[in-house]
């Protein structure tokens, strides 16, 4: 395209129509901004003015241009001031369609933004380690993420300030192995900046190595995740689980569940102890458990499951479980159900309390009560017999006197 100093089109080469799908002749003698997007037109006119002021000057700009199909396309144009050349006497503009490049660039920027948002929401930071020049580039500010500034050491070693001194030797060895033999890294390291509770943060490194044409490691891409909250939650879960297990043990309690779709059964650790079995010798299933119940209790267990299926509720029941040792444990069983949004039962959950001792104590109390009652009955009978004998003796006394 040849332009006048004022931006008027003097000439357009025939192949320009491949860019904007318009006959070049239609654009001759028109203003250069005639089909340029209104938001981009001022920048283009300013570029024309600047390049026209300096002979030989060159300026490159990008703008949206309306094509013959009524759509805006991205065009990159480079203008060179050849007004001083008497054979040309124009600003020569070389243009090319960069719409595909722009679309790819916008997609890349969108993905980078999505990745950045994902990293921020997951409390992660990505990094790239260039093994050629030993440089490290992070997706976020290093000091902000780790809470400490890089050190004074050269190249990648200056970032070791983010990690606890006890962890640095292992961290260095791990990355040395990645540099030497490649592969991936998935390890956890302790940070150097203590938290308000006195503990140190935990960071998980996950990386992948990329190789050059010679087959040697060239760069390492990875992410660092702050997993402090996750580890604290896991520790709390383990602590709660341990406390629950201890409480169940002290209270002689156990927990169990049954998945209706598969009829699979799970037991808490205390259930095995209550039933006198081990995980190695006994697999809890509906059949294996039902087989060890007392015959008199089995109909009531079936009735409980039927009620649970219909209404999801059932009263606690007492069942007797025959241990492999031959002893019989007496359990007080509470059950409930989990249901889906349609109200369909998906699982049965329950707790078991060992009431064997209470059961035996109650039996002894009942036996003692019966013995006391019989003793009282015998004493009453003795008193009654003594009274009858006394009355009978009083009747006989006059009779014997007359005799």
């Amino acid at each position: 395209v040849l332009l006048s100093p004022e931006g008027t089109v003097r000439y357009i080469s025939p192949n320009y129509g491949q860019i904007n799908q318009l006959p070049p002749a239609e654009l001759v003698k028109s203003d250069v901004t005639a089909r340029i997007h209104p938001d981009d037109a001022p920048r283009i006119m300013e570029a024309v003015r600047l390049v026209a002021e300096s002979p030989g000057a060159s300026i490159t700009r990008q703008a949206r241009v309306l094509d013959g199909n009524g759509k805006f396309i991205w065009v990159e144009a480079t203008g060179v001031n050849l007004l001083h050349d008497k054979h040309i006497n124009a600003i020569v503009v070389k243009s090319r369609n960069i719409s595909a490049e722009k679309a790819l660039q916008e997609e890349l920027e969108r993905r980078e933004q999505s990745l950045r948002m994902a990293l921020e929401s997951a409390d992660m930071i990505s990094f790239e380690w260039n093994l050629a020049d030993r440089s490290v580039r992070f997706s976020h500010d290093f000091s902000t993420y780790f809470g400490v500034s890089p050190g004074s050491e050269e190249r990648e070693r200056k970032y070791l300030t983010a990690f606890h001194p006890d962890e640095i030797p292992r961290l260095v060895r791990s990355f040395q192995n990645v540099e030497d033999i490649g592969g991936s890294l998935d390890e956890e390291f302790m940070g150097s900046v203590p938290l308000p509770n006195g503990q140190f943060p935990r960071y998980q490194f996950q990386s992948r190595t990329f190789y050059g044409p010679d087959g040697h490691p060239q760069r390492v891409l990875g992410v660092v995740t702050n997993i402090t909250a996750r580890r604290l939650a896991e520790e709390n879960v383990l602590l709660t689980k341990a406390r629950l297990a201890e409480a169940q043990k002290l209270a002689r309690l156990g927990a169990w569940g049954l998945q209706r779709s598969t009829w699979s059964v799970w037991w808490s650790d205390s259930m095995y102890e209550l039933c006198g079995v081990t995980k190695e010798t006994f697999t809890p299933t509906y059949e294996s458990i039902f087989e060890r119940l007392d015959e008199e209790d089995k109909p009531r267990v079936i009735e409980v499951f039927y009620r649970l299926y219909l209404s999801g509720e059932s009263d606690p029941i007492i069942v007797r479980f025959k241990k492999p040792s031959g002893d019989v444990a007496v359990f007080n069983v509470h059950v409930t159900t989990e249901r889906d949004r349609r109200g369909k039962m998906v699982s049965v959950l329950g707790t078991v309390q060992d009431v064997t001792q209470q059961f035996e104590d109650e039996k002894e109390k009942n036996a003692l009560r019966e013995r006391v009652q019989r003793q009282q009955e015998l004493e009453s009978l003795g008193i009654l017999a003594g009274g009858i004998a006394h009355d009978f003796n009083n009747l006989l006394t006059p009779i014997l006197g007359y005799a």
Side-chain angles (χ1 to χ4, degrees):
V1 179
L2 301 183
L3 298 179
S4 70
E6 295 78 21
T8 302
V9 177
R10 290 179 177 175
Y11 169 80
I12 296 183
S13 62
N15 62 351
Y16 188 83
Q18 298 176 8
I19 295 179
N20 63 358
Q21 309 301 314
L22 283 172
E26 292 186 8
L27 301 177
V28 176
K29 296 184 179 180
S30 66
D31 189 276
V32 70
T33 60
R35 301 188 70 84
I36 292 179
H37 194 284
D39 293 343
D40 300 334
R43 292 189 300 105
I44 299 303
M45 285 306 300
E46 177 65 14
V48 172
R49 186 187 66 79
L50 290 174
V51 75
E53 291 177 350
S54 304
S58 173
I59 293 180
T60 300
R61 293 288 186 270
Q62 295 177 354
R64 288 161 290 181
V65 177
L66 188 65
D67 66 8
N69 298 318
K71 296 181 179 179
F72 281 100
I73 60 173
W74 276 98
V75 175
E76 182 180 81
T78 301
V80 180
N81 184 344
L82 296 180
L83 292 169
H84 60 283
D85 189 322
K86 63 180 181 180
H87 298 291
I88 300 176
N89 188 29
I91 299 173
V92 180
V93 180
K94 181 174 61 177
S95 305
R96 66 187 185 97
N97 189 333
I98 61 169
S99 298
E101 297 176 25
K102 274 289 188 179
L104 290 174
Q105 182 181 356
E106 290 174 358
E107 176 64 15
L108 179 60
E109 291 175 353
R110 186 188 65 80
R111 292 190 178 188
E112 287 182 348
Q113 180 65 19
S114 298
L115 176 60
R116 181 178 292 273
M117 292 176 62
L119 291 174
E120 290 176 352
S121 62
D123 204 1
M124 301 169 68
I125 183 173
S126 64
F127 68 91
E128 179 181 358
W129 181 26
N130 189 320
L131 299 178
D133 60 9
R134 320 299 301 176
S135 64
V136 180
R137 184 171 62 90
F138 292 93
S139 62
H140 297 67
D141 181 67
F142 175 88
S143 302
T144 302
Y145 186 79
F146 290 102
V148 62
S149 299
S152 58
E153 296 189 63
E154 294 295 324
R155 297 179 292 192
E156 69 269 25
R157 294 191 65 88
K158 63 184 178 181
Y159 298 110
L160 294 177
T161 55
F163 303 97
H164 195 280
D166 295 343
E167 296 279 57
I168 291 179
R170 184 167 64 91
L171 178 65
V172 172
R173 285 195 304 270
S174 297
F175 276 92
Q176 187 64 53
N177 290 335
V178 169
E179 182 179 4
D180 293 340
I181 63 177
S184 58
L185 178 69
D186 189 353
E187 293 190 41
E188 184 178 322
F189 301 96
M190 184 164 56
S192 62
V193 181
L195 301 172
N197 61 6
Q199 296 182 342
F200 289 92
R202 306 292 302 187
Y203 298 104
Q204 183 179 26
F205 273 80
Q206 294 174 301
S207 70
R208 180 182 175 186
T209 304
F210 293 84
Y211 303 85
D214 58 359
H216 292 93
Q218 188 176 56
R219 61 194 179 108
V220 179
L221 297 179
V223 295
V224 182
T225 308
N226 189 332
I227 59 173
T228 307
R230 186 200 311 171
R231 287 288 177 262
L232 181 61
E234 291 173 353
E235 291 173 3
N236 289 336
V237 168
L238 292 176
L239 180 61
T240 301
K241 186 177 180 180
R243 289 175 175 171
L244 177 61
E246 184 65 22
Q248 288 181 342
K249 185 176 181 180
L250 293 174
R252 304 289 292 170
L253 282 172
W256 59 274
L258 183 146
Q259 193 71 24
R260 181 177 177 272
S261 59
T262 60
W263 285 91
S264 57
V265 177
W266 65 265
W267 275 7
S268 65
D269 293 341
S270 56
M271 280 294 299
Y272 292 92
E273 182 178 353
L274 293 178
C275 294
V277 296
T278 63
K279 294 180 180 180
E280 293 74 23
T281 60
F282 184 79
T283 300
T285 64
Y286 180 82
E287 293 78 9
S288 63
I289 298 171
F290 194 78
E291 182 181 353
R292 289 195 166 275
L293 297 180
D294 190 278
E295 293 297 329
E296 294 183 0
D297 298 335
K298 290 180 179 180
R300 290 189 295 110
V301 171
I302 295 175
E303 181 182 355
V304 166
F305 273 91
Y306 182 68
R307 280 195 221 154
L308 288 172
Y309 178 77
L310 293 179
S311 64
E313 299 179 358
S314 178
D315 296 329
I317 61 170
I318 299 293
V319 298
R320 287 161 289 185
F321 184 88
K322 293 177 286 187
K323 298 181 179 180
S325 63
D327 296 334
V328 176
V330 182
F331 296 142
N332 185 12
V333 183
H334 291 253
V335 288
T336 186
T337 61
E338 284 187 324
R339 296 179 175 267
D340 59 20
R341 288 180 294 180
R342 296 173 297 175
K344 184 178 179 181
M345 185 178 74
V346 294
S347 63
V348 179
L349 303 176
T351 58
V352 167
Q353 184 177 21
D354 187 349
V355 293
T356 305
Q357 188 60 49
Q358 295 93 313
F359 189 78
E360 294 296 331
D361 292 345
E362 190 64 26
K363 285 177 59 177
E364 290 184 7
K365 288 180 181 179
N366 291 336
L368 178 60
R369 190 178 296 110
E370 290 178 359
R371 289 198 299 270
V372 170
Q373 186 175 355
R374 285 198 300 269
Q375 182 67 31
Q376 290 175 343
E377 290 175 351
L378 290 174
E379 290 178 357
S380 299
L381 183 60
I383 295 173
L384 177 61
I388 294 174
H390 179 70
D391 293 340
F392 187 68
N393 185 53
N394 290 339
L395 291 173
L396 289 177
T397 299
I399 295 173
L400 291 175
Y402 285 108

